[in-house]
Amino acid sequence: MYKSIIHKTFSMAMAFLVLLSTISFTVEKHFCGDVLMDTAIFSKTDPCCDEGAVALTLTENKSCCNDQLEVVKGQDNLKKTTFEDFQFDQQVFITTLYYSYINLFEGLAEQIIPHKDYSPPNLVTDIQVLDQVFLI
């Protein structure tokens, strides 16, 4: 039972690890001056500058607002192989390993117990003592 639980736990952990290593996302940061105003992971940041400040900065050709994008790129070069991509000797090895592993755990033949539903009679006296027959 513990082996099954451990196996399922490690399987879920490995699947989660593959998912996390292949996901990519962007982190967008919005600065007003040197102060961080907004951070967004999967959406756009909200601008903090009001209309007056934007009009003032357009005349000066300087902007008080600054946006930074940080791209966290996941792994995208996963190699998918099929059984046909292996060499012939590798195919033979995998096939024999699989065949021997499957046949390793064959079930036993079901044993038929003919007296399974038979209940023995109630003993009133001990017959061995009554007949004085003892095994030596």
Side-chain angles (χ1 to χ4, degrees), residues 30-33 47-66:
H30 182 75
F31 291 94
C32 281
C48 65
C49 300
D50 56 350
E51 298 297 326
V54 172
L56 181 65
T57 57
L58 288 177
T59 59
E60 297 176 359
N61 289 335
K62 283 176 130 182
S63 177
C64 68
C65 296
N66 185 14

Coordinates of all heavy atoms in Angstrom, one line a residue, residues 30-33 47-66:
H30 N 5.6 48.2 -14.1 CA 5.3 49.6 -14.5 C 5.9 50.5 -13.4 O 5.5 50.5 -12.2 CB 3.8 49.9 -14.6 CG 3.5 51.3 -15.1 ND1 3.7 51.7 -16.4 CD2 3.0 52.4 -14.4 CE1 3.3 53.0 -16.4 NE2 2.9 53.4 -15.2
F31 N 6.8 51.4 -13.8 CA 7.5 52.3 -12.9 C 7.1 53.7 -13.2 O 6.9 54.1 -14.4 CB 9.0 52.3 -13.1 CG 9.7 51.0 -12.6 CD1 9.9 49.9 -13.5 CD2 10.0 50.9 -11.3 CE1 10.5 48.8 -13.0 CE2 10.6 49.7 -10.9 CZ 10.8 48.6 -11.7
C32 N 6.8 54.5 -12.2 CA 6.6 56.0 -12.3 C 7.8 56.6 -11.7 O 7.9 56.6 -10.4 CB 5.3 56.4 -11.7 SG 3.9 56.1 -12.7
G33 N 8.7 57.1 -12.5 CA 10.0 57.6 -11.9 C 10.9 56.4 -11.5 O 11.2 55.5 -12.4
P47 N -1.6 51.9 -16.2 CA -0.7 53.1 -16.2 C -1.1 54.0 -15.0 O -2.3 54.1 -14.6 CB -1.0 53.8 -17.5 CG -2.4 53.3 -17.9 CD -2.5 51.9 -17.4
C48 N -0.1 54.5 -14.4 CA -0.3 55.3 -13.2 C -0.4 56.8 -13.5 O -0.9 57.6 -12.7 CB 0.7 55.1 -12.1 SG 2.4 55.6 -12.7
C49 N 0.2 57.2 -14.6 CA 0.3 58.7 -14.9 C -1.1 59.2 -15.3 O -1.8 58.6 -16.1 CB 1.3 58.9 -16.0 SG 3.0 58.3 -15.5
D50 N -1.4 60.4 -14.8 CA -2.7 61.0 -15.2 C -2.5 61.7 -16.5 O -1.4 61.8 -17.0 CB -3.2 61.9 -14.1 CG -2.2 63.0 -13.7 OD1 -1.1 62.9 -14.2 OD2 -2.6 63.9 -12.9
E51 N -3.6 62.3 -17.0 CA -3.6 62.9 -18.3 C -2.7 64.2 -18.4 O -2.0 64.5 -19.3 CB -5.0 63.3 -18.8 CG -5.9 62.1 -18.9 CD -5.5 61.1 -20.0 OE1 -5.0 61.6 -21.0 OE2 -5.7 59.9 -19.8
G52 N -2.7 64.9 -17.3 CA -1.9 66.1 -17.2 C -0.4 65.8 -17.3 O 0.4 66.5 -17.9
A53 N 0.0 64.8 -16.6 CA 1.4 64.4 -16.6 C 1.8 63.9 -17.9 O 2.9 64.1 -18.4 CB 1.7 63.3 -15.5
V54 N 0.9 63.2 -18.6 CA 1.2 62.6 -19.9 C 1.4 63.8 -20.9 O 2.3 63.8 -21.7 CB 0.1 61.6 -20.4 CG1 0.4 61.3 -21.8 CG2 0.2 60.4 -19.5
A55 N 0.5 64.8 -20.8 CA 0.6 66.0 -21.7 C 1.8 66.8 -21.4 O 2.5 67.3 -22.4 CB -0.7 66.9 -21.5
L56 N 2.2 66.9 -20.2 CA 3.4 67.6 -19.8 C 4.7 66.9 -20.3 O 5.6 67.5 -20.8 CB 3.5 67.8 -18.3 CG 4.7 68.5 -17.7 CD1 4.6 70.0 -18.2 CD2 4.7 68.5 -16.2
T57 N 4.7 65.6 -20.2 CA 5.8 64.8 -20.7 C 5.9 64.8 -22.2 O 7.0 64.6 -22.7 CB 5.8 63.4 -20.2 OG1 4.6 62.8 -20.6 CG2 5.9 63.3 -18.7
L58 N 4.8 64.9 -22.9 CA 4.8 64.9 -24.4 C 5.5 66.2 -24.9 O 6.2 66.2 -25.9 CB 3.4 64.8 -25.0 CG 2.8 63.4 -24.9 CD1 1.4 63.5 -25.4 CD2 3.6 62.4 -25.6
T59 N 5.3 67.3 -24.2 CA 6.0 68.6 -24.6 C 7.4 68.5 -24.3 O 8.2 69.2 -25.0 CB 5.3 69.8 -23.9 OG1 5.4 69.6 -22.5 CG2 3.8 69.9 -24.3
E60 N 7.9 67.8 -23.2 CA 9.3 67.8 -22.9 C 10.0 66.7 -23.5 O 11.2 66.5 -23.4 CB 9.4 67.6 -21.3 CG 8.8 68.8 -20.5 CD 8.9 68.5 -19.0 OE1 9.4 67.4 -18.7 OE2 8.5 69.4 -18.3
N61 N 9.3 65.7 -24.2 CA 9.8 64.5 -24.8 C 10.5 63.6 -23.8 O 11.4 62.9 -24.1 CB 10.8 64.9 -26.0 CG 10.1 65.4 -27.2 OD1 8.9 65.2 -27.4 ND2 10.8 66.2 -27.9
K62 N 10.1 63.7 -22.6 CA 10.5 62.8 -21.5 C 9.3 62.2 -20.9 O 8.3 62.8 -20.7 CB 11.3 63.6 -20.4 CG 12.7 64.0 -20.8 CD 13.2 64.8 -19.7 CE 14.6 64.3 -19.2 NZ 15.1 65.1 -18.1
S63 N 9.4 61.0 -20.5 CA 8.3 60.3 -19.8 C 8.7 59.9 -18.4 O 9.8 59.5 -18.2 CB 7.9 59.1 -20.6 OG 6.8 58.4 -19.9
C64 N 7.7 60.2 -17.5 CA 8.0 59.8 -16.1 C 7.7 58.3 -15.9 O 8.2 57.7 -15.0 CB 7.2 60.6 -15.2 SG 5.4 60.3 -15.2
C65 N 6.9 57.8 -16.9 CA 6.6 56.3 -16.7 C 7.5 55.5 -17.5 O 8.0 55.9 -18.6 CB 5.1 56.1 -17.2 SG 3.9 57.0 -16.3
N66 N 7.7 54.3 -17.0 CA 8.6 53.3 -17.7 C 8.1 51.9 -17.5 O 7.6 51.6 -16.4 CB 10.0 53.4 -17.0 CG 11.0 52.6 -17.7 OD1 10.8 52.1 -18.8 ND2 12.2 52.4 -17.1

